[in-house]
Amino acid sequence: MDGAAYPVAAGGRVIEGRIGSILVCDDDAAIRTVVAQALRRAGHRVDTVASVAQLRAEIARGLPDVLVTDVILPDGNGLDVVTSLTADYPGLPVIVLSAQNTLTTAVRATEAGAFDYLPKPFDLAALADAVQGALAKSAARPVDLGPAEEGGGLLIGRSPAMQEVYRVIARVVANDLTVLISGESGTGKELVARAIHELGPRRAAPFVAINMAAIPRELIEAELFGHERGAFTGAAARVAGRFEQAAGGTLFLDEIGDMPMEAQTRLLRVLQSGEFTTVGGARTIRADVRIVAATNKDLTASVQQGAFREDLFYRLNVVPISLPPLRERRQDVGLLARHFLDRAAESGLPRKGIDKGALALLESHDWPGNVRELENLMRRAAALGRDATIDAEEIRANLGKGGPPVVAGEVDPDLSAAVAARLDRMAREMPQAFEDGSLYERIIAEVERPLIEAVLARCGQNQLRAARILGINRNTLRKRLDTLGIDPTRRTVNG
């Protein structure tokens, strides 16, 4: 690179840049031509090649200042080439282009040592910006995240909005920066948090989630930091809090906007000092966790209204990730619908296909419940649909039914409040349930019986249909009926 400054024209903009030698590798002649012309107009010296063999031969003749390469090449994988080149030439910045627009591709590109990743189709102005950044800085160091599953299984979507989410995730998985995920209810904030954990160096340690909106305010500090024996009435033994449970891993603070002000102050001190004490304890414990928080509220507005601490907001908002609502990524709806039908089949529901008319109707819907609503609809269609293929008429009949969409890991506010109230009563009346490891079984037992009875009543005591709705097989349902002492012949009339 000769170091001369020049004005770059990119997408109608003029930016200051530096001239460099660029090597472009892509098996698509049209892409090679368009990219080369755009970069040459910006003043760069550009060479193009169409295969891994040609790329290696060109590198052997001399290193470019920046390499721009596709992933799928006729004689090899571009990411494998990036890995070897960044190992042999640590100062070579590489920009990866790919039509495989998944989170896994973005993360693997970063893992391989790529300076940047652009999903196809890409904007030439964005490529010009990436090239300029690559010329100004050395290549990013490779990140050891271990093998990744091809195609990705954590997040689904190929829309431009999701590609931006993938790019941010790929850049933060290797470090411990605090992440704040914002988005409407049902957009998949916990999935993003799990992706950051499972693709990062802390993946072998626990991922611990806590929903701030579901815990009585007087119990939040004990839940987060644990408590000592005798710290309060009913505290019969020492209990580790979520910070200790997540030691070495990731602590996901969901619905952080609902955290009481007094607990915000305690959390801020922990984030500042990296240490905490249990409720009723004196020993200082190091907080060895990565913090990922999430909210469906506008925390900036909450700060202005005095409902959220400004200093805590800045501590949490180091890396912001904004999840788009489903109505802003309609091209992902079909991909998600098929994925949810596959998941429904894996859980024991009938395997169903979906026709083009149904997909068109799904894509035109506004999805106020977002991805969660779509999953709920697909499970309902798989369970109740009579035909092997879901059509538009069935989708039209089911849209808006079923009440608030609920899926594993997320509950509606009324149910969450009821469980929280029940936990509060149990803490006073049956504190041993919090100490002897029986809490989960006790709560499930209280919920399972009325759930099964209600579904059987709705199905007219048809056990096969009830099993499909519950997502379990018929034999499992029969066993639960026996265990719970439910008489399947007794009919209940509702209303």
Side-chain angles (χ1 to χ4, degrees):
M1 185 169 64
D2 62 15
Y6 69 95
V8 180
R13 297 175 298 125
V14 176
I15 59 176
E16 288 299 316
R18 308 189 72 83
I19 294 172
S21 61
I22 316 298
L23 177 60
V24 178
C25 180
D26 198 299
D27 61 338
D28 188 321
I31 290 180
R32 292 198 305 272
T33 300
V34 170
V35 170
Q37 288 177 348
L39 294 178
R40 284 170 183 153
R41 282 198 299 269
H44 299 298
R45 299 182 299 275
V46 183
D47 292 304
T48 64
V49 293
S51 67
V52 172
Q54 293 176 3
L55 170 60
R56 292 193 180 280
E58 193 68 25
I59 292 288
R61 284 192 287 269
L63 279 178
D65 292 316
V66 178
L67 169 63
V68 179
T69 183
D70 192 13
V71 171
I72 303 300
L73 297 168
D75 56 345
N77 187 294
L79 292 180
D80 295 336
V81 177
V82 173
T83 299
S84 62
L85 287 178
T86 53
D88 294 338
Y89 310 103
L92 174 64
V94 181
I95 297 170
V96 172
L97 310 176
S98 177
Q100 293 184 318
N101 302 338
T102 66
L103 172 59
T104 296
T105 305
V107 172
R108 289 187 64 191
T110 302
E111 177 186 0
F115 174 81
D116 206 346
Y117 160 79
L118 295 176
K120 292 181 179 179
F122 55 87
D123 184 73
L124 287 175
L127 177 60
D129 288 342
V131 167
Q132 191 52 223
L135 289 170
K137 299 179 181 179
S138 61
R141 293 189 336 183
V143 178
D144 181 15
L145 298 181
E149 179 183 354
E150 187 61 38
L154 296 170
L155 293 166
I156 292 177
R158 298 175 182 268
S159 62
M162 287 305 295
Q163 295 306 308
E164 183 58 31
V165 172
Y166 296 164
R167 291 180 70 188
V168 177
I169 292 174
R171 290 183 176 186
V172 302
V173 290
N175 54 58
D176 272 346
L177 294 176
T178 302
V179 177
L180 179 61
I181 307 166
S182 60
E184 296 177 7
S185 179
T187 50
K189 295 184 287 295
E190 183 167 346
L191 283 179
V192 173
R194 287 187 179 276
I196 292 170
H197 172 75
E198 293 176 18
L199 295 169
R202 290 180 175 265
R203 61 188 176 277
F207 174 90
V208 176
I210 179 171
N211 188 325
M212 294 301 174
I215 301 175
R217 59 191 305 128
E218 63 271 16
L219 297 179
I220 282 185
E221 290 197 27
E223 282 286 331
L224 284 174
F225 309 114
H227 63 77
E228 300 297 323
R229 179 179 179 180
F232 49 82
T233 302
R238 185 186 188 278
V239 174
R242 303 303 176 92
F243 269 88
E244 282 189 83
Q245 295 170 21
T250 300
L251 179 58
F252 176 51
L253 305 175
D254 198 10
E255 303 302 348
I256 191 71
D258 292 303
M259 193 177 200
M261 187 64 73
E262 58 270 22
Q264 292 180 32
T265 302
R266 181 83 186 273
L267 177 62
L268 176 63
R269 288 200 297 268
V270 175
L271 295 181
Q272 290 173 332
S273 66
E275 298 176 337
F276 67 94
T277 57
T278 59
V279 176
R283 181 172 63 91
T284 298
I285 303 171
R286 190 168 76 89
D288 179 22
V289 297
R290 178 181 194 158
I291 298 294
V292 179
T295 182
N296 60 10
K297 294 186 174 181
D298 182 350
L299 286 191
T300 302
S302 296
V303 168
Q304 294 172 348
Q305 295 162 7
F308 200 85
R309 291 188 61 123
E310 183 177 23
D311 43 8
L312 177 58
F313 170 71
Y314 288 121
R315 281 280 179 178
L316 294 171
N317 197 42
V318 178
V319 178
I321 296 180
S322 178
L323 281 184
L326 192 52
R327 62 183 174 275
E328 294 179 7
R329 43 181 294 221
R330 294 181 190 272
Q331 64 244 67
D332 292 335
V333 169
L335 193 66
L336 286 162
R338 292 187 180 94
H339 170 72
F340 292 141
L341 288 175
D342 288 342
R343 282 183 54 180
E346 291 169 2
S347 69
L349 294 176
R351 183 168 292 279
K352 297 291 181 70
I354 186 167
D355 67 21
K356 291 182 179 179
L359 287 174
L361 187 57
L362 292 176
E363 290 172 354
S364 67
H365 186 57
D366 277 344
W367 300 110
N370 291 298
V371 178
R372 189 192 311 166
E373 181 186 357
L374 176 60
E375 179 173 12
N376 188 60
L377 174 62
M378 290 298 97
R379 288 188 64 85
R380 189 161 62 248
L384 304 179
R386 296 181 178 180
D387 299 325
T389 300
I390 299 169
D391 59 17
E393 181 180 353
E394 189 165 353
I395 293 298
R396 192 175 292 109
N398 279 283
L399 274 176
K401 287 187 177 180
V406 180
V407 297
E410 301 194 36
V411 295
D412 74 48
D414 291 339
L415 180 57
S416 174
V419 172
R422 178 60 179 137
L423 288 175
D424 194 22
R425 290 197 303 274
M426 290 179 72
R428 297 191 302 269
E429 300 166 4
M430 293 188 295
Q432 73 277 6
F434 290 81
E435 314 296 341
D436 61 12
S438 66
L439 181 61
Y440 179 83
E441 292 182 0
R442 287 175 182 269
I443 293 294
I444 292 301
E446 291 186 14
V447 173
E448 186 177 22
R449 183 185 183 94
L451 171 64
I452 291 177
E453 289 180 335
V455 173
L456 280 170
R458 178 175 287 273
C459 297
Q461 307 304 314
N462 185 316
Q463 293 182 39
L464 180 59
R465 189 178 178 197
R468 287 178 177 175
I469 293 175
L470 290 166
I472 59 179
N473 62 50
R474 190 174 182 180
N475 288 335
T476 299
L477 177 58
R478 285 174 174 170
K479 291 178 182 177
R480 299 312 300 157
L481 292 175
D482 291 341
T483 300
L484 296 169
I486 298 175
D487 181 2
T489 64
R490 181 174 60 85
R491 294 183 176 273
T492 302
V493 179
N494 293 327

